[in-house]
Amino acid sequence: MRQKFQNELVNTLYIHKPLAVHRESELEAEAGMKEVQRKKVIWDGESKDYTPEMTGTGVMSVDYESRVIRLEAPSRTDKWPKGAPEDGDYSAFGITGVRFVFQNEDWRRYNRLHFRWKPMVDGGRIIYGRTAVENVGEVRVPDKYLREGHTTFDLKNYEWNECYWEFPSMGRDSVRELKIYFDISGQDIPQNDVIRYELSDIRIETIAEPELEKGWECRKNKIVFSTQGYFVKGKKTALANVSADTFSVFNSETNEKVFDGDIQCVVNENGSFQVLDFTELKKEGRYYLQAEGIKSESFEISSVLLEEPVWKIINFLYCQRCGMPIAKRHGTCHEDIYAEHNGVIISYSGGWHDAGDLSQQTLQTGEIVHALLETAEQYKDNRVLYERLLEEAQWGLDFILKTRFGDGYRATSAPCVRVTNNKLGDMDDIKARVHNHSFENFTFAGIEAYAAYVLKEEDPAYAFGCLKAAREDFAFAEEKFAETKVDPFFLYEHTFNCGLSQYYAAIVWAASNLYMASGKEEYAEKARQWGDMLLKCQEEGGSSVPLRGFFYRDESHKSIVHFNHQSREQQFIQALELLCRTQHDSPDRLKWEEGLRGYGEYLKAIAPYTAPYGMIPAGIHHFDETEDEELFPYMHLLADYHEQKKDYKKQLESGVLLGNGYAIRKFPVWFSFRGNNAVLLSMGKAASLIGKYFKDDTLIQIAKEQLYWIWGKNPFGQSMQYGAGTRYCRQFAALCGESTGEIPVGIETYENEDVPYWPQNNNATYKEIWTTSAGRWLWVAADIEETERL
């Protein structure tokens, strides 16, 4: 671990205060250095071409002498804005802002908005603002899912913030409106009841080199690589777009050349690429790559590469804690979110905020608990990190235990996009959803049982309580599953898209964890029984099916399992792998292992389709899916089947056609919610588990490549883990504030294409921070950390 980072850890008391946010290494730090070729003034206090207008709640004034626009509004109101649900579901208190109206202007000559913004929020700690453009030309902006046309800025209070928004790919041939505004989202405990801010120097600009936003090929004269670094073991490659035949690796501390290599040219359906392979370099240290005059930033080769990023993930989760004060972030929050069942009311404050919008999903918290505990098991020799991982896990574990009603029902989620006032009984209270879902109870039972297993020596009393809850939840789940099989559809629960095979996997995994924690044979027997059912849902291969090893939603093999936002693809492999480990002497182990091998073969078969990158493709599809109207709403949130059916087919046609009606999509089929980090990390977890079990270096490398992709070995050369490596991008952190370690939902695609699309619009869902991404990252890291020590 670098000494500088070690000092930061000590200063935060090992993440009992947030880590520093290093904006100097942000992608956005480069914005002010880019060459401006032309500009057009929207408002500067002198030009009278456009008149600012007030929008939303509050008061606006224009000071032409100081050349500023001033706005003032309340921090909260006593009613919901027009059009909001009566109960304030997913609602803030409105907006306050300024807008400029245009006569359908053509902005195509310009590719960036630039203005200055000064918030003055007394007592405010997390300050963010939004900007939106409306285009009514050939491409409507925003689109129906609000993916384009707006961006968000994390702002420093009482300072003039230089705000840049690049939009080279956005439709802007007929711009009708520009809006700059704040959400009225409530107030933190120390915050004043008034929001004030100033705007100045609003202009659009043309810059010479905007960021690449779409495609597989990186920008010219650029090297893209894992900016955090590389593991000592395994392949080490970078990609380039340079006119050189050779490259070199230099020690960044001494500038000594340590490796020379030939650049390999790769041409495939994804484009033309140059691959820099320095796998042979195994000495630990800090290095940089150079080809002709193009030099990369420095990176690390290390056997303990994961230690710093794991600490940073802990920091992100700590900053996402709900229900307690976080220094320099927020006070105790959301004590007026509550759940009610059979006359009993419980607080739903706790766990971790789901994302930038402050929502909460109990199962998401539970899965992160498991990932933290699994990671902790790999760091027992690093006592400080081990204890801190356990501490963070127990914060989430406490939440999933306290939200049980004790009869199968539990508080499952809460729709929250505001800071509430912690006072029960007034208009801003939030009522959490309450359900008795067998899938969730099976999964919770597995998490609770694993916690009992891990904590049995560290905290035997807590371990006892976890095991008791696990056994009860498993029994509740069995009873409900026998009654309803797949749980009734509920739109806003993150498990609404699970097929029957996912239930089988949850049962096997939960029963195996219970067997491991309790030693009771009854759970081993149930794990074996449902393991047989799970294997019936796996494709064994046949003459008409081009691949084997993937899973269907049930035994009928009618519908292939897919994920496009939340993803639990790893659950099938977690179930089979734990079944093999806990019942290693069973005569059935060979068929369970064959299930693992089959999925491993599947991953190996699809991985090359994104070459020379290492991102795991979303997987195999069949064109019959486009006719399945019944399944569509389970898979595609807030999308209409009849509107999107043609686009569904187009998305499959843009994939890799395999024949017999099959196609590989590199990115998911999706419409509303987009971003694939959870998808690729879930599949990466499957790769790391199988690779670890069979000591398969190819699968371990596939898992590592998912981390490399997130750390910047992607077409855009941007790290998606904020604070890890270099050129990490600002994300849609909104009410939570930018945090070191955060990971967003992930790279998307444009419309029906199947190529990476990463616009500089800083908005949901693709750039929204998400604890799901962090938890799945930890799952992969835990396995890789173990294999690196072997």
Side-chain angles (χ1 to χ4, degrees), residues 647-692:
D647 290 323
Y648 199 138
K649 185 178 180 183
K650 288 178 181 178
Q651 290 194 36
L652 293 184
E653 289 172 341
S654 69
V656 181
L657 302 182
L658 302 178
N660 290 332
Y662 289 94
I664 294 285
R665 278 282 300 186
K666 298 162 191 175
F667 287 85
V669 172
W670 45 20
F671 303 100
S672 52
F673 286 33
R674 299 195 179 201
N676 74 330
N677 278 344
V679 177
L680 65 89
L681 286 170
S682 294
M683 298 174 82
K685 174 61 173 177
S688 64
L689 270 176
I690 303 170
K692 183 177 69 170

Side-chain angles (χ1 to χ4, degrees), residues 129-260:
R130 299 182 187 257
T131 305
V133 168
E134 181 184 10
N135 186 68
V136 294
E138 182 178 351
V139 177
R140 295 296 297 246
V141 175
D143 68 0
K144 65 181 295 184
Y145 299 118
L146 303 178
R147 290 188 297 257
E148 306 283 341
H150 58 108
T151 197
T152 304
F153 298 95
D154 193 51
L155 302 171
K156 295 181 180 178
N157 207 5
Y158 307 116
E159 294 184 23
W160 279 108
N161 295 263
E162 295 287 339
C163 297
Y164 300 93
W165 175 18
E166 293 183 21
F167 40 60
S169 301
M170 185 179 75
R172 55 194 187 282
D173 59 327
S174 187
V175 175
R176 186 159 66 184
E177 181 181 272
L178 167 67
K179 183 164 62 178
I180 304 173
Y181 63 102
F182 272 174
D183 289 328
I184 300 175
S185 301
Q187 58 196 118
D188 187 18
I189 288 174
Q191 186 177 319
N192 195 6
D193 55 7
V194 173
I195 298 169
R196 294 179 296 119
Y197 64 94
E198 297 179 346
L199 295 165
S200 71
D201 298 327
I202 305 168
R203 67 194 69 186
I204 49 176
E205 300 174 335
T206 304
I207 55 173
E209 292 190 2
E211 291 299 315
L212 176 72
E213 292 192 328
K214 190 168 69 169
W216 289 103
E217 296 179 6
C218 67
R219 200 168 65 183
K220 192 167 180 59
N221 296 324
K222 181 72 178 175
I223 300 172
V224 298
F225 62 101
S226 173
T227 67
Q228 172 64 24
Y230 295 83
F231 300 95
V232 171
K233 296 179 181 178
K235 291 188 68 175
K236 306 173 189 69
T237 59
L239 280 75
N241 189 344
V242 296
S243 56
D245 297 320
T246 61
F247 74 99
S248 301
V249 184
F250 292 83
N251 184 301
S252 62
E253 296 177 356
T254 65
N255 288 320
E256 174 191 3
K257 185 189 292 187
V258 297
F259 182 83
D260 282 318

Side-chain angles (χ1 to χ4, degrees), residues 36-44 50 100 102 105-115 131-133 163-167 170 172 175 177-178 180 200-207:
V36 177
Q37 297 175 325
R38 69 172 64 89
K39 66 181 179 180
K40 177 178 181 178
V41 172
I42 304 298
W43 194 89
D44 63 357
Y50 307 104
F100 297 90
F102 309 102
E105 287 196 359
D106 188 343
W107 283 11
R108 284 176 292 185
R109 295 181 69 199
Y110 306 94
N111 52 26
R112 184 170 81 173
L113 176 70
H114 178 197
F115 63 97
T131 305
V133 168
C163 297
Y164 300 93
W165 175 18
E166 293 183 21
F167 40 60
M170 185 179 75
R172 55 194 187 282
V175 175
E177 181 181 272
L178 167 67
I180 304 173
S200 71
D201 298 327
I202 305 168
R203 67 194 69 186
I204 49 176
E205 300 174 335
T206 304
I207 55 173

Side-chain angles (χ1 to χ4, degrees), residues 694-728:
F694 290 117
K695 297 181 174 56
D696 187 321
D697 291 339
T698 301
L699 287 171
I700 291 296
Q701 186 65 37
I702 288 174
K704 288 178 178 177
E705 290 292 341
Q706 309 321 299
L707 304 187
Y708 293 160
W709 172 269
I710 284 174
W711 285 333
K713 188 185 166 185
N714 55 59
F716 314 104
Q718 298 179 29
S719 173
M720 285 183 273
Q721 185 181 13
Y722 189 94
T726 53
R727 293 193 95 237
Y728 39 83

Side-chain angles (χ1 to χ4, degrees), residues 53-68:
E53 300 177 7
M54 179 73 198
T55 184
T57 299
V59 177
M60 183 188 78
S61 62
V62 179
D63 186 335
Y64 286 100
E65 183 176 347
S66 299
R67 300 181 183 178
V68 298

Side-chain angles (χ1 to χ4, degrees), residues 12-27:
T12 66
L13 304 178
Y14 293 97
I15 318 296
H16 292 94
K17 295 188 295 183
L19 284 168
V21 174
H22 288 287
R23 299 202 181 277
E24 68 275 9
S25 295
E26 284 181 341
L27 167 72

Side-chain angles (χ1 to χ4, degrees), residues 262-274:
D262 293 329
I263 294 178
Q264 304 164 19
C265 292
V266 174
V267 179
N268 60 25
E269 66 167 11
N270 298 322
S272 179
F273 306 92
Q274 294 166 301

